[in-house]
Amino acid sequence: MSERINIVVVNDDGWGTAGIRLLAKEMTKLGNVTVIAPDSARSGYGAAISAAKPIYLRRIEEHDLNGAEVYTTNGTPADCVKIAREILFADKEIDLLVSGINHGSNAAINAMYSGTIGACLVAAEKGIPAIGWSINDHHMDVDLHWLQPFLCEVTQHLYEEGIAPRTCFNINAPVGEIEGMRWTRQCVGHWANELVPIEGETPDGVLNGWTLGGQFVNDEPSATDTDIWAMEHQLLSITPLHLDWTDYGSL
């Protein structure tokens, strides 16, 4: 980039996880980085906001993120974007918001639930170009070194090519060596057997208890243009998402 830009980095796994730390460090190569992240995991929050509780902001003074400014909040990923826009950048522009690296896939229907992508959608609503990064492994110690070389290159390319208004990019990486990149669409699929009964006694007055689990079911396993197919073939999947959910064919 010919000049350094203002980049905000957020996530939904919480401050201090390997994904956001690597992403923030890489983004300092492209611009002036401000990190604002939840103080603990907010996975599965989508674009939820803290409608019924106060939101607090805390600055992290000691860190190793190559000169970035770092903040945490008790809010959601969507709250992070709102705080960045209205408080931290009240008098200057956010040129780019980058979200992630999420520990776990945000391909297919997972994008609807994702706090990582929820933050990107809020950014798009505010006219801020946004890119979300995820890797197909929920383990916090997943090997990210295969993905690292792509972070700056792809982010810079998408930013310089221009991100259309009310649009963001959802990028999903396979685990292990990445053999290429592919423009993709969201795979059609669903989750099955999601509620796992809690074993043992439940608190007084509670009829039943469950934890969330389940299996993702690919409803179009033969399709070769989807984000799921790309990751299954060790390709980096890049999917544009739009704020307008209108089904124009039904009008």
Side-chain angles (χ1 to χ4, degrees):
M1 294 182 180
S2 58
E3 60 183 50
R4 292 179 67 80
I5 62 174
N6 292 324
I7 303 174
V8 171
V9 176
V10 303
N11 79 341
D12 71 358
D13 287 317
W15 162 245
T17 54
I20 193 171
R21 293 174 65 81
L22 175 60
L23 185 61
K25 287 180 179 180
E26 288 297 306
M27 291 303 104
T28 61
K29 300 174 183 178
L30 301 180
N32 306 309
V33 171
T34 299
V35 176
I36 176 169
D39 53 18
S40 60
R42 303 289 194 279
S43 297
Y45 272 56
I49 55 174
S50 297
K53 69 175 185 180
I55 307 170
Y56 300 103
L57 186 67
R58 181 166 67 98
R59 181 164 183 162
I60 304 296
E61 299 289 352
E62 295 184 8
H63 58 79
D64 61 349
L65 298 186
N66 301 342
E69 292 188 11
V70 179
Y71 301 85
T72 63
T73 176
N74 63 320
T76 68
D79 293 333
C80 290
V81 181
K82 294 176 184 291
I83 294 171
R85 173 64 280 171
E86 296 191 22
I87 306 300
L88 300 178
F89 285 81
D91 300 320
K92 54 185 175 179
E93 292 298 317
I94 300 173
D95 297 302
L96 177 65
L97 180 131
V98 188
S99 188
I101 303 167
N102 187 67
H103 292 258
S105 166
N106 279 321
I109 197 64
N110 298 309
M112 181 179 72
Y113 299 106
S114 167
T116 300
I117 300 305
C120 291
L121 293 171
V122 173
E125 177 256 321
K126 296 188 174 299
I128 303 169
I131 300 168
W133 287 88
S134 305
I135 188 167
N136 191 24
D137 192 312
H138 286 91
H139 293 94
M140 289 296 133
D141 60 351
V142 59
D143 185 355
L144 296 169
H145 92 273
W146 298 105
L147 178 56
Q148 183 173 356
F150 292 87
L151 296 172
C152 281
E153 177 184 354
V154 174
T155 296
Q156 181 173 352
H157 175 77
L158 292 176
Y159 176 77
E160 292 183 344
E161 286 293 306
I163 299 175
R166 301 178 67 79
T167 300
C168 63
F169 286 107
N170 180 16
I171 303 177
N172 286 277
V175 177
E177 185 172 3
I178 298 172
E179 299 179 1
M181 294 178 283
R182 177 72 64 91
W183 288 103
T184 59
R185 61 175 176 86
Q186 283 183 284
C187 181
V188 177
H190 68 279
W191 282 87
N193 305 315
E194 295 181 78
L195 294 176
V196 181
I198 296 175
E199 300 293 338
E201 296 184 5
T202 56
D204 291 342
V206 174
L207 295 178
N208 299 98
W210 302 268
T211 58
L212 280 174
Q215 303 84 38
F216 175 76
V217 179
N218 185 345
D219 292 330
E220 45 178 355
S222 62
T224 61
D225 60 344
T226 70
D227 43 16
I228 295 293
W229 185 92
M231 285 194 296
E232 289 176 345
H233 291 79
Q234 294 305 118
L235 300 173
L236 195 70
S237 161
I238 306 175
T239 306
L241 303 178
H242 198 277
L243 281 179
D244 187 352
W245 291 5
T246 306
D247 180 5
Y248 289 97
S250 297
L251 293 177

